[in-house]
PDB file of all heavy atoms in Angstrom:
ATOM      1  N   PRO A  84     -14.449  -2.625 -83.311  1.00  0.00           N
ATOM      2  CA  PRO A  84     -13.217  -2.045 -82.759  1.00  0.00           C
ATOM      3  C   PRO A  84     -13.443  -1.347 -81.405  1.00  0.00           C
ATOM      4  O   PRO A  84     -14.510  -0.772 -81.162  1.00  0.00           O
ATOM      5  CB  PRO A  84     -12.793  -1.030 -83.832  1.00  0.00           C
ATOM      6  CG  PRO A  84     -13.413  -1.537 -85.097  1.00  0.00           C
ATOM      7  CD  PRO A  84     -14.720  -2.171 -84.680  1.00  0.00           C
ATOM      8  N   THR A  85     -12.418  -1.443 -80.566  1.00  0.00           N
ATOM      9  CA  THR A  85     -12.475  -0.949 -79.183  1.00  0.00           C
ATOM     10  C   THR A  85     -13.154   0.414 -79.032  1.00  0.00           C
ATOM     11  O   THR A  85     -14.057   0.568 -78.209  1.00  0.00           O
ATOM     12  CB  THR A  85     -11.034  -0.874 -78.622  1.00  0.00           C
ATOM     13  OG1 THR A  85     -10.497  -2.203 -78.634  1.00  0.00           O
ATOM     14  CG2 THR A  85     -11.007  -0.328 -77.206  1.00  0.00           C
ATOM     15  N   PHE A  86     -12.728   1.384 -79.816  1.00  0.00           N
ATOM     16  CA  PHE A  86     -13.241   2.736 -79.610  1.00  0.00           C
ATOM     17  C   PHE A  86     -14.547   3.004 -80.382  1.00  0.00           C
ATOM     18  O   PHE A  86     -15.044   4.125 -80.375  1.00  0.00           O
ATOM     19  CB  PHE A  86     -12.157   3.771 -79.963  1.00  0.00           C
ATOM     20  CG  PHE A  86     -10.982   3.744 -79.015  1.00  0.00           C
ATOM     21  CD1 PHE A  86      -9.780   3.138 -79.366  1.00  0.00           C
ATOM     22  CD2 PHE A  86     -11.083   4.317 -77.737  1.00  0.00           C
ATOM     23  CE1 PHE A  86      -8.696   3.100 -78.485  1.00  0.00           C
ATOM     24  CE2 PHE A  86     -10.005   4.281 -76.846  1.00  0.00           C
ATOM     25  CZ  PHE A  86      -8.810   3.675 -77.218  1.00  0.00           C
ATOM     26  N   GLU A  87     -15.096   1.974 -81.000  1.00  0.00           N
ATOM     27  CA  GLU A  87     -16.372   2.127 -81.715  1.00  0.00           C
ATOM     28  C   GLU A  87     -17.518   1.399 -81.039  1.00  0.00           C
ATOM     29  O   GLU A  87     -18.673   1.514 -81.442  1.00  0.00           O
ATOM     30  CB  GLU A  87     -16.227   1.630 -83.161  1.00  0.00           C
ATOM     31  CG  GLU A  87     -15.363   2.550 -84.003  1.00  0.00           C
ATOM     32  CD  GLU A  87     -14.959   1.936 -85.335  1.00  0.00           C
ATOM     33  OE1 GLU A  87     -15.753   1.186 -85.918  1.00  0.00           O
ATOM     34  OE2 GLU A  87     -13.811   2.211 -85.771  1.00  0.00           O
ATOM     35  N   MET A  88     -17.166   0.631 -79.984  1.00  0.00           N
ATOM     36  CA  MET A  88     -18.192  -0.174 -79.338  1.00  0.00           C
ATOM     37  C   MET A  88     -19.334   0.668 -78.758  1.00  0.00           C
ATOM     38  O   MET A  88     -20.501   0.294 -78.848  1.00  0.00           O
ATOM     39  CB  MET A  88     -17.570  -1.035 -78.244  1.00  0.00           C
ATOM     40  CG  MET A  88     -18.472  -2.168 -77.792  1.00  0.00           C
ATOM     41  SD  MET A  88     -18.346  -2.473 -76.023  1.00  0.00           S
ATOM     42  CE  MET A  88     -19.235  -1.052 -75.375  1.00  0.00           C
ATOM     43  N   GLY A  89     -18.980   1.806 -78.161  1.00  0.00           N
ATOM     44  CA  GLY A  89     -19.999   2.657 -77.539  1.00  0.00           C
ATOM     45  C   GLY A  89     -21.069   3.071 -78.532  1.00  0.00           C
ATOM     46  O   GLY A  89     -22.275   2.959 -78.246  1.00  0.00           O
ATOM     47  N   ASN A  90     -20.654   3.501 -79.697  1.00  0.00           N
ATOM     48  CA  ASN A  90     -21.627   3.895 -80.717  1.00  0.00           C
ATOM     49  C   ASN A  90     -22.434   2.715 -81.226  1.00  0.00           C
ATOM     50  O   ASN A  90     -23.606   2.865 -81.566  1.00  0.00           O
ATOM     51  CB  ASN A  90     -20.932   4.614 -81.879  1.00  0.00           C
ATOM     52  CG  ASN A  90     -20.947   6.125 -81.673  1.00  0.00           C
ATOM     53  OD1 ASN A  90     -21.976   6.679 -81.258  1.00  0.00           O
ATOM     54  ND2 ASN A  90     -19.835   6.779 -81.925  1.00  0.00           N
ATOM     55  N   ALA A  91     -21.790   1.554 -81.279  1.00  0.00           N
ATOM     56  CA  ALA A  91     -22.514   0.356 -81.730  1.00  0.00           C
ATOM     57  C   ALA A  91     -23.640   0.013 -80.755  1.00  0.00           C
ATOM     58  O   ALA A  91     -24.737  -0.382 -81.167  1.00  0.00           O
ATOM     59  CB  ALA A  91     -21.548  -0.822 -81.884  1.00  0.00           C
ATOM     60  N   VAL A  92     -23.382   0.203 -79.457  1.00  0.00           N
ATOM     61  CA  VAL A  92     -24.430  -0.046 -78.455  1.00  0.00           C
ATOM     62  C   VAL A  92     -25.480   1.066 -78.516  1.00  0.00           C
ATOM     63  O   VAL A  92     -26.683   0.814 -78.491  1.00  0.00           O
ATOM     64  CB  VAL A  92     -23.839  -0.161 -77.030  1.00  0.00           C
ATOM     65  CG1 VAL A  92     -24.945  -0.249 -75.977  1.00  0.00           C
ATOM     66  CG2 VAL A  92     -22.915  -1.378 -76.930  1.00  0.00           C
ATOM     67  N   LYS A  93     -25.009   2.298 -78.629  1.00  0.00           N
ATOM     68  CA  LYS A  93     -25.932   3.442 -78.655  1.00  0.00           C
ATOM     69  C   LYS A  93     -26.937   3.331 -79.800  1.00  0.00           C
ATOM     70  O   LYS A  93     -28.123   3.585 -79.632  1.00  0.00           O
ATOM     71  CB  LYS A  93     -25.119   4.737 -78.802  1.00  0.00           C
ATOM     72  CG  LYS A  93     -25.978   5.978 -78.841  1.00  0.00           C
ATOM     73  CD  LYS A  93     -25.159   7.239 -79.089  1.00  0.00           C
ATOM     74  CE  LYS A  93     -26.079   8.452 -79.115  1.00  0.00           C
ATOM     75  NZ  LYS A  93     -25.327   9.685 -79.375  1.00  0.00           N
ATOM     76  N   THR A  94     -26.437   2.938 -80.967  1.00  0.00           N
ATOM     77  CA  THR A  94     -27.296   2.901 -82.151  1.00  0.00           C
ATOM     78  C   THR A  94     -28.000   1.561 -82.318  1.00  0.00           C
ATOM     79  O   THR A  94     -28.838   1.412 -83.211  1.00  0.00           O
ATOM     80  CB  THR A  94     -26.479   3.190 -83.427  1.00  0.00           C
ATOM     81  OG1 THR A  94     -25.416   2.229 -83.527  1.00  0.00           O
ATOM     82  CG2 THR A  94     -25.868   4.586 -83.382  1.00  0.00           C
ATOM     83  N   GLY A  95     -27.650   0.578 -81.497  1.00  0.00           N
ATOM     84  CA  GLY A  95     -28.344  -0.705 -81.570  1.00  0.00           C
ATOM     85  C   GLY A  95     -27.766  -1.660 -82.607  1.00  0.00           C
ATOM     86  O   GLY A  95     -28.383  -2.670 -82.929  1.00  0.00           O
ATOM     87  N   VAL A  96     -26.572  -1.355 -83.108  1.00  0.00           N
ATOM     88  CA  VAL A  96     -25.893  -2.291 -84.019  1.00  0.00           C
ATOM     89  C   VAL A  96     -25.647  -3.604 -83.271  1.00  0.00           C
ATOM     90  O   VAL A  96     -25.730  -4.694 -83.832  1.00  0.00           O
ATOM     91  CB  VAL A  96     -24.556  -1.691 -84.531  1.00  0.00           C
ATOM     92  CG1 VAL A  96     -23.687  -2.733 -85.222  1.00  0.00           C
ATOM     93  CG2 VAL A  96     -24.833  -0.519 -85.464  1.00  0.00           C
ATOM     94  N   VAL A  97     -25.323  -3.489 -81.992  1.00  0.00           N
ATOM     95  CA  VAL A  97     -25.291  -4.648 -81.090  1.00  0.00           C
ATOM     96  C   VAL A  97     -26.201  -4.325 -79.909  1.00  0.00           C
ATOM     97  O   VAL A  97     -26.502  -3.162 -79.654  1.00  0.00           O
ATOM     98  CB  VAL A  97     -23.855  -4.963 -80.593  1.00  0.00           C
ATOM     99  CG1 VAL A  97     -22.959  -5.435 -81.734  1.00  0.00           C
ATOM    100  CG2 VAL A  97     -23.253  -3.774 -79.881  1.00  0.00           C
ATOM    101  N   ASP A  98     -26.631  -5.362 -79.188  1.00  0.00           N
ATOM    102  CA  ASP A  98     -27.534  -5.137 -78.063  1.00  0.00           C
ATOM    103  C   ASP A  98     -26.788  -4.720 -76.806  1.00  0.00           C
ATOM    104  O   ASP A  98     -27.277  -3.910 -76.013  1.00  0.00           O
ATOM    105  CB  ASP A  98     -28.318  -6.421 -77.742  1.00  0.00           C
ATOM    106  CG  ASP A  98     -29.119  -6.907 -78.930  1.00  0.00           C
ATOM    107  OD1 ASP A  98     -29.673  -6.053 -79.654  1.00  0.00           O
ATOM    108  OD2 ASP A  98     -29.188  -8.142 -79.141  1.00  0.00           O
ATOM    109  N   MET A  99     -25.609  -5.311 -76.611  1.00  0.00           N
ATOM    110  CA  MET A  99     -24.876  -5.081 -75.368  1.00  0.00           C
ATOM    111  C   MET A  99     -23.383  -4.981 -75.653  1.00  0.00           C
ATOM    112  O   MET A  99     -22.895  -5.504 -76.657  1.00  0.00           O
ATOM    113  CB  MET A  99     -25.068  -6.257 -74.391  1.00  0.00           C
ATOM    114  CG  MET A  99     -26.483  -6.528 -73.991  1.00  0.00           C
ATOM    115  SD  MET A  99     -26.552  -8.152 -73.188  1.00  0.00           S
ATOM    116  CE  MET A  99     -26.460  -7.668 -71.493  1.00  0.00           C
ATOM    117  N   GLY A 100     -22.686  -4.350 -74.711  1.00  0.00           N
ATOM    118  CA  GLY A 100     -21.242  -4.287 -74.842  1.00  0.00           C
ATOM    119  C   GLY A 100     -20.580  -4.349 -73.478  1.00  0.00           C
ATOM    120  O   GLY A 100     -21.159  -3.904 -72.484  1.00  0.00           O
TER     121      GLY A 100
END
Side-chain angles (χ1 to χ4, degrees):
T85 298
F86 293 102
E87 290 168 35
M88 196 217 73
N90 267 318
V92 173
K93 180 184 180 181
T94 57
V96 168
V97 293
D98 302 322
M99 300 166 96

